[in-house]
Amino acid sequence: MPEIDLTALGEARKMVGFSQKKIELSGHTVAELLRAIGTLDGENLYEKLVCQGKLRGDYAVLVNGLSVKPDQLDMEVKQGDQVVTMAILRHLHGG
Amino acid sequence: MATAVTPSVTRGDGQWLPSTCGMCLHGCGIQVYVEDGVALKIEGDPTNPDNLGKLCPKGNAGLSRLYDPARVLKPLKRTNPVKRAGVDPGWVEIEWDEAMDIVARELGKIRKDDPRKLLVAIGDFQRILFWGWPAVFGSPNFFTSLGNYCGGSYHPVNGSVDGSFAAINDYERCNYWIQIGSGDGFSSHLHVSGSSKRMADARMRGMKLVVLDPRLSTAAAKADEWIPIVPGTDRAFVLGMAHVLVHELDRYDREFLRQRTNAPYLVGEDGFFVRDEKGRVLVWNERENHSGAWDEVPADCVALLGSFEINGKKVRTGFQVWKDILATHTPEAMSQVCTVPAEAIRRIAREFVDAARIGSTIELEGKTYPFRPAALNYYRGSQSHSNGLFDNMTYKLFNMLVGNIDVPGGHLGVPLDTRGFFVSPGESGQLKPEPHQLHPAPPFKYPPDSTHLMEWFPIGFDAGQLNTETILSPERFGLKYQPEAMMLYHSNPIWNMPETDKVEEIMRRMKFVVAIDIHLTESTQWADIFLPDRTYLESTLLNCLEPPVVTGHSVRQPVVEPLGDTRDAYEILTDLAQRMGFLDNWNDLLNIVCGFAFNTRYLLEPSKRYSVEEIYDRFAHSIYGDDKGLEWFKKQGHTYRPRTAKEAFEPYGNLRIPFYFEFIKQTGAELEKQLKAHGVNDWPLENYLPLPFWKPSQVIEDGKKGYDLYAITFKDVIHTFGDTVVMTWLTEVSEKDPIHQGILINSKTAKKLGVETGEKIRLVSPGGRIEGRAQVVEGIHPQVVGISNSITREYVTNDKVNYKGSHFNRLLTGSLRYTDGATGGLESTARVRLEKVSY
Amino acid sequence: MARLGMVIDLKRCVGCNACTIACKQENGTPAGVHFARVINREVGTYPNVKRTFLPVLCNHCDDAPCLKACPTGATFQRPDGIVMVDDDSCIGCRACAVSCPYLNRHFIDHGMLQKGLSDDGLTPFEQVKFAGFQEGTMTKCTFCAHRVDHGLQPACVITCPTEARIFGDLDEENGILQTLIRERNSWTLLPEAKTKPCVYYLDE
């Protein structure tokens, strides 16, 4: 069972109620990891972040600093991987 | 040569501290000599390969900013409830705690009610990491026209072509340089002191420089050839040259267009690419005379030109489509528009293609690259117009005709910062277009969230000028709330936005305004609370913004004890976030924009308050490793090094760059559907087109209504656009130059109108009117009046500034009609008529 | 002994005034006093018109009229050619200013050291820098003698973005200055004044 370092930022942090946690994962993909993380309203991150099998456009999942493409949720996660979930802020300003 | 340890001031035993210039946004390397706590000299940092120890006049004047007696050094509170332009706010000094309490209370109320009711005018590019503060507050609103005069159309097109933010020609190798409406290498843009040296070196080795500008600018003065042109018609000149290459000379880089761009992709009569059942774009196999998927037809069989039939439907290559468009853009026709003689258009096109050496190669760092030492460079003046998308596309396509995009000698993309080009694969072998470089494209929304309608600009920038139209006519755009408060952060919207009267009307409606700045300005005069920030010589950050030939970060550090009772803007923003209860979101935002999310060792904890030093220490470590933190930077100054050939050239690799901008047409079609679904039928969609051509803009139309002259504004290297006009060291020099003494008018035009130097005149445009004194000169197009930025400020804290008040932006109109509907770029030229002012 | 001089390459110069302001901060001159300046002119008529940029500073002439005009010997010339003013001997008669055909002598009038950026009081920078001037005396460009004596180049030279200013020894026959003067079209200002300037200009 791989142990994953999970970080949740912004809206994702508010959904899960913590900022950083070690997660023992019984599976080995990003999708399984997201399903394994419960949200405060009784659902899980997969239900929040994924729509029709693809990562929603307004959220990002990073594995060891590299972002997971929307249709790559079957990507493998391994022991010690750093996974970050976060909402993408679109209303940053431009000059 | 001075070095970081050699005392340049002979009095004694002070010390030199490395830092970064903050007099414009770019940030050249500096070193500051400090003795007994007093800063006595700023010099360029000779160890920095960016500016090579050089500094422009603004950088040399930095001490007069630090020690400016007009700086605000303690928080201020308004006592006069009457807010009006020219009315004294009755400032009184208060303590920080009281000031922050008031701001947190007033903004807190707005945040609870509807955070979108906060308008934010945010500037200060070097602190770009903090520009997300309004987003975590909850407001999408960008109430300023800061960079979109220059970058509104420029950045999206650069981002789409090669994932760059800006662009410049190859100073080291270019032999024929056409420069249009830009001060690159002379007076502005992309680290001007180092760029001036590189340009001087290029001129010395015999590079030919042709400058198009309505005014005899510094670049034009130093050019081999100055070609005066009517503002907003530069595109016509270049389309005329493209016609010459494609139709008359039949000379262009076929292999580049065929292999490096999507020019051979087949286009149907609907303007979209033709795709097979798998969604792959088709090309034409000219050897076997049939179509095939782009990745199935052998490279040497792909047709670049031609009209064909597929299943009875007519198709053309993207290149053929533009060639057909160009057929009518003859030098004679384009000359009618831009006033440049047709023979000059022909001659320069021929000289350019001769100099481009199509087919030649060069070996650099062990790799062979195409060598194209001719390039067209352009910036604000040539494309800050209401058809700015077409302007930018035209200049890029003209460069593509000689195959010079991102190759030695040619036209090179400049990334925003150390992250380099934003390059990833898109559809059918093409580069994925990245028009939004500062933030992801906001999804469409109706009713819109933002007062500048950013949700309706899927490929555009932040069209700050639209604030006036939306806030004053909310029903037209479905805006469902009215803004009530404003934060001014190193931005002066009353000065920088068009239609000043309307901006003032919005100011009048604000229930609360807070300003963070170092000086009082036209806009801060409407504030309720003024919070004094520290200058660049008293604050901390790591900087990297658009360095043209180097990459790395340089440090800004306090070189003296901060003057008075001021606070670093980061501390102000963070304190406000904490007081209003969103420190956790603020830290998470910094985790994302500072990149800590990508290197979780340096993550900020949500509820902990970090100092600005801690933020940049983590930032440094997260990029440069364990041994390079803020302390390392404070001693060593920077990590700048020249970009390698691999970093600078052909960033697109095997991906095809857009020649035919199909994605723009697709985006427009998608937006149209969404707008129509919500009953918005009058949104300007007509510029969402895949290829550029000539069409007159609103400004040209205005000429038919008796506004016979064009008005432009300009800057010289001695000033930034508006903010240095309060600095005596600079104005006492700039004011001696006739071009900064009044409204420039050509002697022939002046004679016709009976106007003499020194005479008071009025300019009237469809949008407004200004007055000033006439300055009769030779070096300006007879149809044009020119206004130096240095005479445009209306309220300055320095009573030694003599020439002021001719506020150019009052002549502009910020409405949609003067905006490029696809990019949000605004029209920076106004049509005017000149009146004599009688008493 | 070297004969110090300067060559200003007008082809490289872009008239930016970095020299003017670098000199201002290096020497901390009072308001309105500039040892280094750039004269901008428009030449010709539209469309055959040019803008020319002419950076000027003291020419440290070999045959300096200011030296002869000075009645007290306050103006003196160092063996390396730098023309300087000894404040303590200067009586402020301004004969030197009248004699200089280049307008490169500057008088520190009464009151000029009491106000700087502000009319009331001096900034910390000005307090340090203005202490080096005396009211009622003449002042001028020294080729940054205080820097030169430490082996440094003048402030206007090191900051020049286009490296248009080259400072060095005119006595070196094959040095950079003489080579440039020989190989490029070079001239000095107002040769008819017969002052033998040591600042040379290279044509555009």
Side-chain angles (χ1 to χ4, degrees), chain B residues 60 149 155 164 182 191 201 238 283 287 344 378 441 478 553 566 580 597 772 776-777 811 820 824 835:
Chain B
N60 268 298
Y149 281 102
H155 299 309
S164 63
S182 157
H191 302 240
D201 287 345
V238 179
V283 295
R287 191 178 304 157
Y378 59 94
H553 279 92
T566 57
M580 283 186 264
V776 179
V777 296
L811 297 173
D820 187 305
E835 295 172 354

Side-chain angles (χ1 to χ4, degrees), chain B residues 345-657:
Chain B
I345 298 175
R346 275 200 180 87
R347 174 177 53 81
I348 292 164
R350 182 184 288 276
E351 288 175 4
F352 184 82
V353 72
D354 280 347
R357 300 195 202 172
I358 293 170
S360 66
T361 58
I362 188 171
E363 196 177 305
L364 292 170
E365 293 170 18
K367 196 183 160 197
T368 303
Y369 295 95
F371 180 50
R372 298 290 179 276
L376 184 150
N377 183 60
Y378 59 94
Y379 197 32
R380 177 180 163 152
S382 61
Q383 49 81 41
S384 178
H385 300 295
S386 51
N387 295 317
L389 174 67
F390 299 154
D391 293 328
N392 279 277
M393 282 158 88
T394 300
Y395 310 143
K396 287 288 190 219
L397 291 186
F398 183 71
N399 279 320
M400 282 182 214
L401 286 180
V402 296
N404 73 9
I405 301 288
D406 297 318
V407 304
H411 185 64
L412 312 180
V414 175
L416 176 62
D417 54 32
T418 49
R419 290 171 297 171
F421 296 94
F422 289 14
V423 167
S424 63
E427 185 219 345
S428 284
Q430 301 173 92
L431 182 86
K432 183 174 173 233
E434 297 280 3
H436 279 271
Q437 298 259 304
L438 292 180
H439 55 76
F444 177 82
K445 202 166 173 206
Y446 188 94
D449 266 337
S450 68
T451 53
H452 61 300
L453 304 175
M454 72 193 294
E455 300 85 354
W456 298 5
F457 284 99
I459 63 160
F461 226 52
D462 293 289
Q465 76 277 10
L466 296 182
N467 277 289
T468 43
E469 196 154 32
T470 56
I471 294 171
L472 299 177
S473 332
E475 65 292 341
R476 195 179 148 200
F477 304 95
L479 194 71
K480 292 286 188 257
Y481 64 95
Q482 270 293 312
E484 291 177 7
M486 185 180 296
M487 175 186 273
L488 300 162
Y489 174 91
H490 287 276
S491 181
N492 185 1
I494 290 206
W495 178 82
N496 71 33
M497 279 172 46
E499 291 185 295
T500 316
D501 293 346
K502 291 184 181 171
V503 183
E504 285 176 351
E505 168 57 28
I506 291 168
M507 286 291 200
R508 205 167 289 129
R509 296 180 181 190
M510 293 296 108
K511 292 180 184 156
F512 182 76
V513 178
V514 56
I516 302 171
D517 211 321
I518 58 171
H519 277 113
L520 297 173
T521 66
E522 288 87 342
S523 299
T524 69
Q525 291 305 80
W526 297 81
D528 295 279
I529 298 287
F530 184 102
L531 303 172
D533 188 10
R534 294 176 176 171
T535 67
Y536 74 98
L537 295 168
E538 306 159 292
S539 50
T540 303
L541 53 77
L542 287 184
N543 181 63
C544 178
L545 275 173
E546 303 178 291
V549 298
V550 301
T551 186
H553 279 92
S554 63
V555 74
R556 173 201 284 194
Q557 64 174 315
V559 297
V560 292
E561 277 295 309
L563 272 63
D565 191 9
T566 57
R567 287 187 186 171
D568 188 291
Y570 164 83
E571 305 291 353
I572 298 172
L573 295 173
T574 304
D575 193 9
L576 287 175
Q578 190 168 27
R579 284 169 189 258
M580 283 186 264
F582 61 93
L583 182 66
D584 54 347
N585 287 346
W586 175 230
N587 282 348
D588 271 353
L589 172 93
L590 295 175
N591 277 328
I592 296 168
V593 296
C594 297
F596 305 146
F598 300 85
N599 190 347
T600 49
R601 255 185 88 176
Y602 300 102
L603 271 178
L604 309 176
E605 291 172 34
S607 54
K608 195 174 157 196
R609 171 108 182 240
Y610 295 87
S611 68
V612 70
E613 289 83 8
E614 285 173 298
I615 296 291
Y616 280 105
D617 188 51
R618 281 163 188 255
F619 186 71
H621 281 306
S622 72
I623 297 171
Y624 296 104
D626 286 349
D627 56 337
K628 288 193 182 70
L630 185 59
E631 285 309 309
W632 183 93
F633 272 92
K634 283 182 165 186
K635 288 193 189 76
Q636 303 297 325
H638 64 88
T639 54
Y640 272 134
R641 60 165 176 80
R643 283 157 74 204
T644 61
K646 204 177 154 207
E647 287 167 332
F649 301 127
E650 296 186 331
Y652 36 78
N654 292 325
L655 300 171
R656 290 171 187 266
I657 63 175

Side-chain angles (χ1 to χ4, degrees), chain B residues 728 731 735 798-804, chain C residues 31 116-119:
Chain B
T728 315
T731 51
E735 287 185 347
N798 182 345
D799 56 14
K800 294 188 169 74
V801 177
N802 290 310
Y803 302 114
K804 55 188 172 219
Chain C
L117 291 176
S118 160
D119 285 348

Side-chain angles (χ1 to χ4, degrees), chain B residues 300-336:
Chain B
D300 60 342
C301 300
V302 173
L304 177 62
L305 274 170
S307 303
F308 314 100
E309 256 189 44
I310 299 177
N311 302 331
K313 286 193 174 140
K314 200 184 150 205
V315 298
R316 289 178 290 173
T317 67
F319 190 66
Q320 182 68 47
V321 179
W322 203 44
K323 183 174 180 179
D324 293 346
I325 288 172
L326 287 174
T328 54
H329 294 66
T330 61
E332 282 70 20
M334 295 299 98
S335 173
Q336 290 291 314

Side-chain angles (χ1 to χ4, degrees), chain B residues 7-8 10 41-43 54 57 60 67 197 201 203 216 218 221-222 228 732 737 748 778-779 782 800, chain C residues 10-13 16 24-26 32 34 40 42 46 50-51 119 123 146-147 150 159-161 163:
Chain B
S8 167
T10 52
K41 184 77 195 290
I42 301 175
E43 293 181 1
K54 321 292 177 196
N60 268 298
Y67 293 122
K197 173 180 154 47
D201 287 345
R203 291 188 286 115
L216 183 55
T218 305
K222 301 302 293 188
E732 71 176 7
D737 186 339
K748 292 183 183 71
E778 296 297 324
K800 294 188 169 74
Chain C
L10 297 180
K11 181 162 172 121
R12 298 190 74 98
C13 173
C16 73
K24 182 94 191 172
Q25 58 156 337
E26 176 74 32
H34 294 101
N40 295 336
E42 209 179 43
Y46 183 91
K50 288 294 278 181
R51 255 168 87 200
D119 285 348
T123 66
H146 59 286
R147 293 175 59 96
H150 280 76
T159 205
C160 178
E163 294 180 351

Side-chain angles (χ1 to χ4, degrees), chain B residues 691-751:
Chain B
L691 286 169
F693 57 100
W694 176 254
K695 69 169 184 177
S697 66
Q698 185 60 42
V699 163
I700 300 213
E701 297 296 319
D702 288 344
K704 296 173 188 158
K705 294 176 235 155
Y707 301 100
D708 51 341
L709 296 169
Y710 291 80
I712 58 164
T713 185
F714 65 89
K715 77 178 281 297
D716 224 330
V717 67
I718 197 160
H719 287 295
T720 60
F721 243 99
D723 148 272
T724 58
V725 176
V726 298
M727 294 172 68
T728 315
W729 280 14
L730 297 176
T731 51
E732 71 176 7
V733 175
S734 62
E735 287 185 347
K736 288 189 182 127
D737 186 339
I739 68 165
H740 301 300
Q741 290 172 357
I743 297 169
L744 306 186
I745 177 167
N746 183 289
S747 64
K748 292 183 183 71
T749 312
K751 196 172 168 195

